[in-house]
Amino acid sequence: MKIKALLGTCLLVACLSCTPQKNETREAGKTQETQEEWVQLFNGKDLKDWDIKITGHPLNENYGNTFRVEDGKMVVRYDQYDAFNEQYGHIFYKKPYSAYLLAVEYRFTGEQVAGGPGWAIRNSGAMLHAQPASTMGLDQDFPISLEAQLLGGNGQDERSTANLCTPGTNVVVGDTLFTPHCINSSSKTYHGDQWVRAEVLVLGDSIVTHIVEGDTVLVYEKPQIGGGNVSNYDPALKKDGQLLKEGYIALQSESHPVEFRKVEIFDLARYMDDPRKLKSVLRDLRNREGH
């Protein structure tokens, strides 16, 4: 689907979740069609559908039991670490996706582990269109991907969430190729240990939209491989300029404890060749009573 053909869809995106959201009413607002198509990537019980890659450790070595399930939540913990030592981690869902609406409900808790970098305090992220976990180098720090950066406030200063960071990637903002590593969203700041719902609407290699608690906070286009801010990767995989049409979804461990109580996805791939149906489905999602 051409980007121009999606411009009308973007008008729907702007209000995709504009109804005030309350956790206790989200399920009631789904139409039968949209309710059936939401898939829970995290089943609330175990991590059997996920692959783990931590810097300096082989695939699926869950060093320090970093990623675990507690009280029905997927959590990142560092109680078995002596120090962080740049052991950045990512947990990848087993299946790649191309066009979808991803939603995560997260919160930051506790204190950062010793040795974590200053910028990583109350910092995590959802990696989009990521390379497979199995292709990451032993000492690779981040997957080549787009990062919907999830941040918590420090109790005083403003600090937006659902920003964009680009390990090994670039995007187009407006009509310009955006090559700096990160761009801030227009979201409000979320202090303390409150739960926050962040959504990302990804339409293949065309348009990506970040949404926080019902507000559209960032839009960009044409995700592609390029730039830096990723190390120890396989050069054969970094084909600069190649558009990213699909990839894996991963969640981060970056030295601060974080919890995810929901990770869910609405797969839109089947609608990408039918603009009218795509708009209809997005309208249903927009009009639901606070999904």
Side-chain angles (χ1 to χ4, degrees), residues 149 220 229:
Q149 185 188 49
Y220 51 91
N229 300 292

Side-chain angles (χ1 to χ4, degrees), residues 159-219:
R159 196 185 194 207
S160 60
T161 190
N163 305 318
L164 168 69
C165 291
T166 54
T169 55
N170 291 318
V171 300
V172 171
V173 178
D175 294 323
T176 304
L177 184 68
F178 184 83
T179 57
H181 180 43
C182 295
I183 180 173
N184 286 344
S185 79
S186 62
S187 87
K188 59 182 270 189
T189 302
Y190 295 88
H191 297 292
D193 61 357
Q194 64 182 299
W195 289 101
V196 180
R197 182 177 177 88
E199 298 170 294
V200 188
L201 178 66
V202 181
L203 298 179
D205 59 6
S206 55
I207 296 174
V208 182
T209 303
H210 295 195
I211 303 158
V212 180
E213 294 291 350
D215 294 326
T216 295
V217 297
L218 184 63
V219 180

